[in-house]
Amino acid sequence: MNEYSPVTATHAIAQRLLQTLVPVNALTVDHLNTLLRDQFIESVCPGQLLFDHNDFDSKHVYLLSGEISLTDDSGLSTILTADNPICRYPLTHFQPRRHSAKTLTDCSLMRFDSDQLDAMLAWDQASRYITLDIAAQRDLDEDADWMLTLLNSNFFYKVPPMNIRSVLSKFEAQYVASGETILRQGELGDCCYFIKEGVAEVFQAQAENHHSELVAELGVGRCFGEDALVGDKPRNATIVMRSNGVLMRLDKQDFFLLLKPPLTQGLSFDQAITTITEPAQWIDVRTQDEFEQGHRAGAINMPLDLLKLKSRMLDQAKRYLIYCNSGRRSSAAAHLLGQDGFDAAVLSDGVANLSRQQQEQFSSGLNS
């Protein structure tokens, strides 16, 4: 029997706990809170099957308390308790599963959607790459504040991380005056806004023909009108400027273009070890914790969020093969490095989906 306790009941405790788990601990506070929003701590009785051989559940499963047995396909079992340091990592995280996991005592655990977690990690770390890029460009000083504020929010994390530079370039400045109405409740929207300068007021009417009442105030760093980017819903409020200001506007059509990832040079594992004839350096762009759990022999660790700094050590005359767990972070890294003049290819599906034989070959550093 499973029981679920909402994380929000003990949010601070849960947040501290998650900051010990790999790679969850690499998320910014904003994304960590987003991950926690609909999350549950799962209480499981003894004798329950958590997952079975060959399951493809696309979940990161973490053991928080209790004791479980892990059994491989040969029948060999290992007992694992939550105080084991390996429980900082997701349980035997390969897809499809190579082990079955069964509870031996009362246990508590958390399951995260792997794709959602990976998307957040990729966005977080790619945005930090761009943050360092912005900080290094003196000609962006005037725009640096609003760009950095936007990057540190979780508003655009569904945009592929390799498009982050393009997101910023698509915003256009709009100078507005005190008393100017920017949005009207009930109208269909075709854009959203980010407040670079000034203060706006939010008015809402509870029903048609009712008087609008002031319900909120928005200052520098706030977005509004974002519902227009993801649906055809009418505006749910009227926005009026309380002061002169500058808004950064993003049109809906530009936003949809940004949802499509650009092409990167992707290679399967077999292609990477058989068709690359010239010397190439493998780069692991996962976090240091992930790298230390296991990596390609001879690979260098350059976490995506530090890649802008560490890329100074790279040679533009050399070829690089970049990998992560799923291919998402490595695709972002290859795209960003490519924009900076490097020759980089991607291990398309990452290392989490390699077969056992491929994983052994990968870890040994051997080529075919």
Side-chain angles (χ1 to χ4, degrees), residues 10-279:
T10 53
H11 188 86
I13 296 174
Q15 191 179 77
R16 288 195 296 271
L17 173 64
L18 294 189
Q19 288 171 344
T20 70
L21 303 180
V22 180
V24 179
N25 58 353
L27 290 173
T28 61
V29 172
D30 279 346
H31 276 143
L32 192 59
N33 287 334
T34 298
L35 199 63
L36 281 172
R37 190 175 300 153
D38 301 314
Q39 198 61 46
F40 292 88
I41 294 176
E42 189 175 343
S43 298
V44 187
C45 296
Q48 297 295 302
L49 188 68
L50 302 181
F51 51 78
D52 205 353
H53 297 284
N54 298 318
D55 281 355
F56 197 97
D57 55 8
S58 298
K59 298 290 184 182
H60 276 56
V61 182
Y62 294 91
L63 180 65
L64 306 182
S65 68
E67 187 175 85
I68 66 171
S69 67
L70 295 173
T71 306
D72 65 20
D73 52 13
S74 70
L76 180 65
S77 293
T78 302
I79 295 176
L80 187 64
T81 58
D83 58 1
N84 189 312
I86 202 172
C87 288
R88 295 179 60 223
Y89 300 89
L91 294 173
T92 63
H93 190 60
F94 291 96
Q95 299 287 318
R97 297 285 184 183
R98 298 180 187 175
H99 296 76
S100 64
K102 182 176 288 188
T103 57
L104 299 177
T105 65
D106 288 333
C107 293
S108 61
L109 56 101
M110 293 186 77
R111 304 178 201 250
F112 297 104
D113 180 270
S114 297
D115 191 64
Q116 181 190 25
L117 175 58
D118 195 63
M120 288 182 172
L121 281 168
W123 173 265
D124 260 358
Q125 297 188 342
S127 69
R128 289 179 218 172
Y129 181 105
I130 302 299
T131 296
L132 292 171
D133 195 17
I134 291 171
Q137 297 185 50
R138 304 305 303 173
D139 59 324
L140 291 179
D141 282 354
E142 182 181 343
D143 292 315
D145 285 345
W146 78 264
M147 288 181 172
L148 295 178
T149 301
L150 185 64
L151 287 173
N152 288 329
S153 73
N154 60 17
F155 182 59
F156 288 110
Y157 86 86
K158 290 184 179 179
V159 173
M162 59 280 285
N163 285 345
I164 289 180
R165 277 182 173 142
S166 299
V167 169
L168 299 175
S169 69
K170 293 296 184 182
F171 278 89
E172 295 184 353
Q174 180 176 324
Y175 295 86
V176 292
S178 176
E180 183 174 345
T181 299
I182 309 303
L183 306 180
R184 294 185 186 278
Q185 185 172 353
E187 293 180 342
L188 288 178
D190 60 356
C191 64
C192 75
Y193 295 91
F194 179 90
I195 302 177
K196 182 180 179 182
E197 297 176 17
V199 177
E201 295 178 326
V202 182
F203 294 88
Q204 280 186 325
Q206 296 303 312
E208 191 175 354
N209 299 324
H210 282 211
H211 177 71
S212 293
E213 297 182 357
L214 178 65
V215 295
E217 186 178 277
L218 304 176
V220 172
R222 296 293 299 276
C223 284
F224 61 87
E226 59 270 24
D227 286 347
L229 301 184
V230 293
D232 294 320
K233 299 177 182 178
R235 302 289 195 191
N236 61 10
T238 296
I239 308 292
V240 179
M241 294 303 298
R242 199 182 77 184
S243 66
N244 295 337
V246 180
L247 304 179
M248 303 304 297
R249 172 183 168 131
L250 177 67
D251 287 335
K252 186 173 185 175
Q253 60 184 8
D254 286 330
F255 177 76
F256 278 117
L257 289 175
L258 295 171
L259 293 178
K260 184 176 181 181
L263 293 176
T264 54
Q265 185 183 4
L267 300 172
S268 69
F269 177 68
D270 290 339
Q271 289 173 323
I273 62 175
T274 59
T275 65
I276 302 299
T277 55
E278 69 272 25

Side-chain angles (χ1 to χ4, degrees), residues 197-365:
E197 297 176 17
V199 177
E201 295 178 326
V202 182
F203 294 88
Q204 280 186 325
Q206 296 303 312
E208 191 175 354
N209 299 324
H210 282 211
H211 177 71
S212 293
E213 297 182 357
L214 178 65
V215 295
E217 186 178 277
L218 304 176
V220 172
R222 296 293 299 276
C223 284
F224 61 87
E226 59 270 24
D227 286 347
L229 301 184
V230 293
D232 294 320
K233 299 177 182 178
R235 302 289 195 191
N236 61 10
T238 296
I239 308 292
V240 179
M241 294 303 298
R242 199 182 77 184
S243 66
N244 295 337
V246 180
L247 304 179
M248 303 304 297
R249 172 183 168 131
L250 177 67
D251 287 335
K252 186 173 185 175
Q253 60 184 8
D254 286 330
F255 177 76
F256 278 117
L257 289 175
L258 295 171
L259 293 178
K260 184 176 181 181
L263 293 176
T264 54
Q265 185 183 4
L267 300 172
S268 69
F269 177 68
D270 290 339
Q271 289 173 323
I273 62 175
T274 59
T275 65
I276 302 299
T277 55
E278 69 272 25
Q281 173 66 58
W282 288 79
I283 298 178
D284 187 323
V285 293
R286 299 175 300 171
T287 66
Q288 183 178 347
D289 284 334
E290 292 174 286
F291 180 78
E292 289 176 353
Q293 190 187 24
H295 56 268
R296 169 81 173 177
I300 55 177
N301 184 214
M302 291 189 171
L304 177 54
D305 56 332
L306 300 177
L307 191 59
K308 184 63 180 178
L309 292 174
K310 294 196 172 188
S311 64
R312 300 169 186 171
M313 302 161 53
L314 303 181
D315 183 354
Q316 291 191 350
K318 194 169 184 177
R319 191 168 201 201
Y320 296 95
L321 295 175
I322 304 178
Y323 72 89
C324 63
N325 282 335
S326 69
R328 186 183 269 113
R329 278 179 279 174
S330 51
S331 292
H335 183 73
L336 293 167
L337 286 176
Q339 289 181 326
D340 290 338
F342 293 95
D343 180 7
V346 177
L347 185 62
S348 297
D349 297 323
V351 296
N353 296 310
L354 295 178
S355 68
R356 182 169 298 180
Q357 181 180 357
Q358 288 174 327
Q359 183 68 40
E360 291 172 355
Q361 191 174 357
F362 175 84
S363 300
S364 69

